Amino acid sequence: MFTLFRWAVRLTTTLIVLMVAGAVLAWYFATRSLPDYDATAKVIGITAPVEIVRDNANVPHIFGETDEDVFFGLGYAHAQDRLWQMTMLRRTVQGRLSELYGARTLEIDQVLRRYDLYNAATASVVAQDASTLVALTAYADGVNTWLDEVNKGALGRGAPEMWLFNHPVARWQPADSIAILKLMALQLTSSLENEVLRARVSLVVSPDRLRDILPDDPSSGVAALPSFAELVPGVAPNQPGTRMAYDPLMPVPPRAFAGASNAWAANATRSATGSTLLANDPHLGLTAPSIWFLARLELEGGGVIGGTIPGVPLVLTGRSANLGWGLTTANVDDQDVFLEQVNPNNSEEYRGLNGWKSFISRDSIITVKDAPAVTIRLRWTENGPVIPDDLFDLGTITPPGHVTAIGWTALSQADTSMSAAMALMRARNVDQAIAAGELHVAPAQNLTLADRNRVAMQTIGAMPIRDANHQSQGRYPSFGYLPENRWQGVFPYAENPRFMDPDGGIVGNTNNKMIDRPFPRHVSFDWGDTQRVIRWRRLMQAREVHTRDSFIEAQLDTVSFTARTLLTFMGADLWFTGDAAPDGTPERQRQMALELLAAWNGEMNEHLPEPLIYAAWARAFQARVIRDELGPLATEFTHLDPVFLERIFRDVDGASIWCDVIQSAPVETCADIARQALDEALIWITENHGTAIEAVRWGDAHEATHDHPVLGTTPILGWIVNIRQSTSGGDNTLMRGRTRGTGPAPFQNVHAAGYRGVYDFADPDSSVFISSTGQSGHPFSRYYDNLGEMWRRGEYIPMSLDPDLARAAAVGVTTLVPVESSE
């Protein structure tokens, strides 16, 4: 027995030693890729020394003799901190993820190959102006110089993920940066999915009810559309959807997450400081690390500082000494789904304007890890690339004998958006910035501007010209062989909405409807916001003059106008009613919830129970009123639509009929559904968050999920690489935290402002900014999440162009020295 015990001890000790040794070895190899910020390196490709000064938040301030050298330094810094992220963005747009992840990402690769964005980016390189080409080349040289240092110095392959997914990293090319911009365009558009969903719903409800469930912005009336079945006969209703399972690596987001943002600016008449103010917080999916990387470039024309995206040599949102700019999604309808009839006698032909035409086609081979390679046939019509009907639910709206092609402005092979952004960084005033926007193609954005004296907002991006007789005005998929359905080019830049020096002194956008023009100059029928803008307008009008701090206060505002409005309707027949009930009964739970909500001001504060009660109640109410009418399609409506619910409660055009369950004998009222929905919501809350209704916290349900796209679901590693935070805000607050909308945790915050910036041109160095995680993409770096807690608390770091402030308490200075020609 003693011998057995002794051997058991020895074996256990050996296992523990091996485990510790393995952990130490793994830690050693993982940390080899941590960059030394206090170093000097001799490099090829610069004309004079370049300094990369990392301030105390690890924001790089890059100084060089020429712009070319500065862009070289930015490429070097991006690669130091975000090499893995950059290579994943490039692999995604190239459609080459399956080389690393196998069958998991095969469908993602197929989507990207069919859009062919990378080849469009490669073709667009020659369309850039000379200075942009120089910058792209210098940036690529900086990235490649760091790659060379990784290889020569055995620096842990550049990132710890490289040990788990070992693959050769190709040298960076100018086309790679343009391709990432196109990938961002893909993440910021939802027109395709809106068209498909509208067509599917049209097949199961009347035109009047379609207007309810997919409402337009209520600020103007729109005539009811004909049903999709009238325009495209032969499509059966309620076909099962064909959407792929959610994968964090998929760059095409569900329609509820296709971009959002806030930006506003005040001129000197509305500023207490005597100069202009600007605030911007672009919203994207939350990841670890964030898509944003803070940086400052000291260009020959002056300093530029703000938010960059690794892989792209641009400050996309930020400021110089004299100009600030911010971006919001413009919701331009820049995509269309075309139904192309296939020749029944020759599947290689489709119906054109004047008879049958041959598809342009080629084969593309996708290498799949641990599986045979897959060859797919890529096809194009005159209207765009053909997308198979097993993607994006396209098969549910495609009549027999047809395929679908996608028209989209971002498919341009002469895309000069990169040149536009370069010109914007060099602009010194509002007029020059607006002129720079003429070169921008995609994604369509609202550019909010402020120089020291003026403010403006300009929509940038190509707007397709549609025929006034278009069958569906671009709102449904339409036959591509009919001339009235085809695009007729794009509008001149002067037709894009522009707001200069507004009389009220303030300009802004929350993705709301910004202009009321008739089709085809309408910009869009689908706007991203009808609610935040109301709260924003009230905050702007509440003060005669604003300050940097009042702009910060608005940016961080968590009061939900939507909650204040809908609760008055949902609780109209329930407030302070009902018989007394003992503790623990459903009736008592309902009374307690109503008492809490009756005294609530609509603030979606993470520490309060009321936001969770309201959100669960409203979600349950919407699910109940659409379930019987839409059937399986009800699952497509993952998020609350405030305009739809308000139409129901106000009985606009008879919309209260949605409250009656048509498959039941009784006639239900909206009050009945509201009471049932509240009880359902309380049951869900008690099952998931505890029985003490007054003690639940919104922040426990509304947790921000900064998850690693690759390792986030891996046991143990997920705990290391994911960043989770309790947060305030909600779907319809200015400090927007878009909820997941599905699954067991539907209120998790998955899409929010990864960057926030507020710029004061009376004292530019008092400007501030922040990103949602940290500067480094290395999970073992202390800068991986160094900004995350500040972001959660609504704090910022200084956004200064003062070199002395950057050097004060700097965490390191990297000096790049040119190699002499004789060396």
Side-chain angles (χ1 to χ4, degrees), residues 694-767:
E694 70 281 5
V696 299
R697 292 177 70 256
W698 172 237
D700 292 339
H702 194 242
E703 189 179 47
T705 58
H706 313 272
D707 289 356
H708 194 289
V710 176
L711 303 177
T713 57
T714 306
I716 301 177
L717 290 179
W719 177 80
I720 296 173
V721 299
N722 292 341
I723 303 169
R724 297 293 182 93
Q725 298 171 320
S726 168
T727 54
S728 299
D731 288 335
N732 302 115
T733 56
L734 281 173
M735 193 176 85
R736 178 180 174 273
R738 189 67 159 163
T739 54
R740 187 179 298 280
T742 57
F747 302 118
Q748 282 184 333
N749 178 1
V750 299
H751 193 277
Y755 171 92
R756 297 184 189 124
V758 181
Y759 324 137
D760 181 355
F761 285 98
D763 181 11
D765 281 339
S766 71
S767 301

Side-chain angles (χ1 to χ4, degrees), residues 505-522:
I506 292 179
V507 67
N509 180 252
T510 63
N511 313 117
N512 57 288
K513 183 175 182 177
M514 58 190 173
I515 198 165
D516 192 9
R517 300 195 308 205
F519 179 86
R521 297 173 62 249
H522 64 306

Side-chain angles (χ1 to χ4, degrees), residues 611-733:
L612 181 56
I613 299 170
Y614 150 73
W617 185 9
R619 174 182 168 82
F621 181 89
Q622 177 169 290
R624 280 178 172 268
V625 297
I626 67 175
R627 194 178 301 155
D628 68 318
E629 299 238 12
L630 298 186
L633 271 176
T635 59
E636 298 292 330
F637 293 83
T638 56
H639 289 75
L640 195 70
D641 191 318
V643 178
F644 168 52
L645 295 189
E646 193 167 343
R647 285 179 65 86
I648 289 175
F649 284 117
R650 294 186 184 276
D651 195 23
V652 177
D653 298 326
S656 63
I657 195 173
W658 285 87
C659 290
D660 179 35
V661 180
I662 58 177
Q663 299 180 55
S664 69
V667 177
E668 290 85 3
T669 66
C670 292
D672 295 331
I673 300 299
R675 184 182 64 256
Q676 294 167 357
L678 178 56
D679 289 344
E680 180 182 339
L682 293 175
I683 290 171
W684 181 88
I685 290 172
T686 55
E687 289 176 347
N688 291 276
H689 295 277
T691 57
I693 293 295
E694 70 281 5
V696 299
R697 292 177 70 256
W698 172 237
D700 292 339
H702 194 242
E703 189 179 47
T705 58
H706 313 272
D707 289 356
H708 194 289
V710 176
L711 303 177
T713 57
T714 306
I716 301 177
L717 290 179
W719 177 80
I720 296 173
V721 299
N722 292 341
I723 303 169
R724 297 293 182 93
Q725 298 171 320
S726 168
T727 54
S728 299
D731 288 335
N732 302 115
T733 56

Side-chain angles (χ1 to χ4, degrees), residues 262-267 271 273 275-282 317-319 322-328 430 446-451 454-457 506-508 546-548 551-552 555 755-762 767-769 796 799:
N262 300 314
W264 51 84
N267 67 17
S271 168
T273 63
S275 192
T276 57
L277 298 160
L278 189 148
N280 181 215
D281 54 297
T317 172
R319 73 171 187 89
N322 299 299
L323 179 73
W325 58 95
L327 299 172
T328 56
V430 164
N446 288 323
L447 181 64
T448 301
L449 298 161
D451 58 26
R454 306 166 64 197
V455 297
M457 187 173 72
I506 292 179
V507 67
H546 283 272
T547 64
R548 184 201 69 169
F551 267 34
I552 289 174
Q555 199 171 69
Y755 171 92
R756 297 184 189 124
V758 181
Y759 324 137
D760 181 355
F761 285 98
S767 301
V768 292
F769 61 168
Y796 299 76
M799 187 186 194

Side-chain angles (χ1 to χ4, degrees), residues 216-222 330-331 446 457 499 508-517 522 524-530 533 537:
D216 292 300
D217 189 301
S219 61
S220 62
V222 177
N331 294 291
N446 288 323
M457 187 173 72
F499 305 89
N509 180 252
T510 63
N511 313 117
N512 57 288
K513 183 175 182 177
M514 58 190 173
I515 198 165
D516 192 9
R517 300 195 308 205
H522 64 306
S524 178
F525 287 112
D526 296 307
W527 300 95
D529 173 54
T530 62
V533 65
R537 185 184 298 121

Side-chain angles (χ1 to χ4, degrees), residues 268-540:
T269 66
R270 296 295 303 275
S271 168
T273 63
S275 192
T276 57
L277 298 160
L278 189 148
N280 181 215
D281 54 297
H283 304 166
L284 289 168
L286 297 178
T287 59
S290 167
I291 190 65
W292 295 103
F293 180 88
L294 308 180
R296 176 264 188 88
L297 311 178
E298 189 63 28
L299 301 175
E300 294 173 42
V304 181
I305 188 170
T308 71
I309 290 178
V312 183
L314 299 171
V315 173
L316 288 164
T317 172
R319 73 171 187 89
S320 62
N322 299 299
L323 179 73
W325 58 95
L327 299 172
T328 56
T329 298
N331 294 291
V332 169
D333 188 4
D334 56 9
Q335 266 187 337
D336 268 347
V337 179
F338 293 97
L339 302 173
E340 308 283 20
Q341 185 178 2
V342 179
N343 186 346
N345 299 315
N346 184 353
S347 62
E348 295 301 315
E349 294 182 338
Y350 69 97
R351 185 175 176 184
L353 294 177
N354 300 300
W356 301 112
K357 294 179 66 70
S358 296
F359 288 103
I360 298 172
S361 60
R362 77 166 188 265
D363 288 339
S364 183
I365 301 173
I366 302 175
T367 302
V368 184
K369 181 183 178 183
D370 300 328
V374 175
T375 300
I376 60 174
R377 188 76 165 168
L378 308 182
R379 297 194 294 177
W380 288 264
T381 72
E382 293 175 309
N383 293 310
V386 173
I387 306 296
D389 59 12
D390 60 349
L391 295 171
F392 308 125
D393 296 329
L394 289 169
T396 64
I397 52 84
T398 305
H402 290 71
V403 295
T404 53
I406 308 301
W408 183 28
T409 57
L411 300 176
S412 168
Q413 297 196 348
D415 188 341
T416 51
S417 301
M418 182 70 70
S419 294
M422 285 285 178
L424 176 61
M425 286 198 297
R426 295 185 170 99
R428 294 176 177 272
N429 55 50
V430 164
D431 291 330
Q432 292 177 8
I434 289 176
E438 187 167 5
L439 293 173
H440 188 83
V441 176
Q445 297 281 286
N446 288 323
L447 181 64
T448 301
L449 298 161
D451 58 26
R452 289 183 177 269
N453 301 298
R454 306 166 64 197
V455 297
M457 187 173 72
Q458 168 74 47
T459 299
I460 58 175
M463 295 200 313
I465 301 175
R466 295 178 177 84
D467 192 297
N469 297 314
H470 190 292
Q471 281 188 303
S472 72
Q473 299 183 331
R475 308 189 73 181
Y476 289 145
S478 55
F479 291 118
Y481 56 81
L482 296 178
E484 62 267 29
N485 292 339
R486 292 207 174 183
W487 290 0
Q488 301 170 357
V490 297
F491 282 104
Y493 183 57
E495 290 284 321
N496 286 22
R498 179 179 303 173
F499 305 89
M500 295 279 291
D501 302 318
D503 292 339
I506 292 179
V507 67
N509 180 252
T510 63
N511 313 117
N512 57 288
K513 183 175 182 177
M514 58 190 173
I515 198 165
D516 192 9
R517 300 195 308 205
F519 179 86
R521 297 173 62 249
H522 64 306
V523 180
S524 178
F525 287 112
D526 296 307
W527 300 95
D529 173 54
T530 62
Q531 306 292 299
R532 301 196 315 273
V533 65
I534 298 174
R535 177 65 179 172
W536 171 75
R537 185 184 298 121
R538 290 182 178 178
L539 291 177
M540 294 299 103

